[in-house]
Amino acid sequence: MRWDEGHDSDDVVDRRGEGPAYGFGGGGGGLWFLLQILPWLVQSPLGLLVAVGFVGFVGIRALVGGGDTEHASREHAAQASKKDENYHFVSFVLDEGQTTWSRLFEESGAKYRRSKLVLYAGRTRTGCGAGSASMGPFYCPADERTYLDVSFFRELDRRYGAPGRFAQAYVIAHEVGHHVQHVLGTNEKLGRFGHQEGADGGSVRLELQADCYAGIWAHATKERGILEPGDFEKAITAAQAIGDDALQRRTQGYEVPESFTHGTSEQRMRWLGRGYEQGTLEACDTVRAKAL
Ligand SMILES: [Zn+2]
């Protein structure tokens, strides 16, 4: 894929430079400091004065929302220092994807709402609880953000045999697909179609649709002339590698279709391909599809 290496997105939040402790609440640092100096505080009148002042300061800051400002500026500082190739690549794919979705929504008379993507290293806090690299990339509907630890890119290559930027782009586009579902209220619609679990349940239907939406994005990159020969095959390789059946065979040696959550390799490749060939939302109606 031809992508612009200087690309910088307003929707990428870079937390990679913030360290692992940051993941468990911004107030932790202040409390730790207070505990360290507690013995001194209670021993001297001056210490007591400092303690009262400190508590007052924290209280006032919380009242005027200073905590948020500090949080925002910390995110900003980390962002300024970490604009490496991965940052530019993720920025490019996210913006390309969201521009495509804005256009598609507009064409059908709807309005797209942009979402953010958080880059982190190790673990981080999310609107859906603590996020960690071992969970792989995921979308949190509560704060409308995708969380990505870029070590997953290396894993895609080494562990799943799916190297290349387009395999990575597919993963990002899949998560953006979950945001599209969230904006469209697909989850609620799906609730009316029965069970969630199993090979033809709601979870698999949502995941295959997100793959199909990633295909729609790939279709758009082809139309824009930035797709290069062999690119789409890289996405297909990734979809094949992370099918439920393939993952279960790898980890436990056998398949349990009742526990499938994302669909088989064959299904993931097929729905990704369908979105890629047709490039329309209608092509991706896994909610009503009788056969997946
Ligand atoms: Zn998914």
Side-chain angles (χ1 to χ4, degrees):
M1 180 176 48
R2 286 204 303 277
W3 61 282
D4 167 14
E5 299 205 13
H7 202 90
D8 194 355
S9 171
D10 288 341
D11 295 322
V12 173
V13 177
D14 196 345
R15 289 185 189 162
R16 288 174 299 169
E18 292 176 357
Y22 188 68
F24 297 93
L31 186 65
W32 178 85
F33 177 72
L34 195 64
L35 286 173
Q36 293 305 303
I37 60 166
L38 198 63
W40 174 74
L41 288 178
V42 294
Q43 273 166 24
S44 74
L46 179 67
L48 205 60
L49 203 67
V50 170
V52 170
F54 180 77
V55 171
F57 169 72
V58 169
I60 288 166
R61 210 183 53 156
L63 278 176
V64 299
D68 278 348
T69 313
E70 186 203 41
H71 167 221
S73 70
R74 248 202 291 188
E75 280 192 350
H76 193 76
Q79 211 156 325
S81 64
K82 278 279 186 181
K83 290 184 175 171
D84 57 359
E85 192 182 306
N86 277 329
Y87 172 88
H88 294 304
F89 174 72
V90 169
S91 288
F92 177 79
V93 173
L94 185 67
D95 279 352
E96 274 287 316
Q98 301 212 89
T99 304
T100 300
W101 285 110
S102 298
R103 180 173 55 76
L104 287 171
F105 269 59
E106 225 165 80
E107 281 169 12
S108 65
K111 189 153 168 46
Y112 180 73
R113 193 163 69 236
R114 291 181 82 91
S115 75
K116 297 211 182 283
L117 185 149
V118 179
L119 289 174
Y120 72 99
R123 57 191 186 188
T124 194
R125 69 190 186 293
T126 85
C128 300
S132 84
S134 62
M135 296 157 70
F138 65 96
Y139 172 74
C140 169
D143 60 11
E144 302 195 341
R145 289 176 166 203
T146 289
Y147 291 86
L148 172 70
D149 182 321
V150 290
S151 67
F152 184 75
F153 288 169
R154 215 169 34 241
E155 211 170 314
L156 257 184
D157 178 0
R158 299 200 187 144
R159 191 157 164 225
Y160 299 107
R165 283 298 191 191
F166 210 80
Q168 301 164 1
Y170 152 63
V171 170
I172 298 168
H174 173 99
E175 300 309 333
V176 173
H178 283 312
H179 175 64
V180 170
Q181 292 172 329
H182 175 66
V183 175
L184 292 173
T186 312
N187 220 335
E188 291 75 51
K189 284 180 210 143
L190 198 64
R192 290 187 245 118
F193 282 82
H195 61 290
Q196 285 294 304
E197 299 81 24
D200 64 347
S203 170
V204 168
R205 286 176 190 273
L206 281 178
E207 294 300 334
L208 292 177
Q209 187 172 63
D211 282 339
C212 191
Y213 285 176
I216 291 182
W217 173 70
H219 177 93
T221 62
K222 189 176 155 205
E223 282 191 331
R224 290 237 297 110
I226 57 170
L227 201 68
E228 290 173 308
D231 273 347
F232 188 66
E233 289 68 21
K234 288 190 182 115
I236 287 285
T237 302
Q240 183 175 24
I242 57 180
D244 284 326
D245 52 342
L247 292 179
Q248 288 189 351
R249 276 198 307 273
R250 174 195 286 273
T251 54
Q252 62 194 30
Y254 55 92
E255 301 163 27
V256 184
E258 302 77 57
S259 69
F260 283 177
T261 54
H262 285 68
T264 64
S265 296
E266 189 275 324
Q267 287 174 317
R268 299 197 72 164
M269 290 191 291
R270 189 153 38 79
W271 282 98
L272 174 63
R274 218 177 132 97
Y276 177 62
E277 279 151 28
Q278 302 188 30
T280 62
L281 277 160
E282 295 73 45
C284 300
D285 191 359
T286 60
V287 173
R288 262 171 289 224
K290 285 212 168 62
L292 292 171

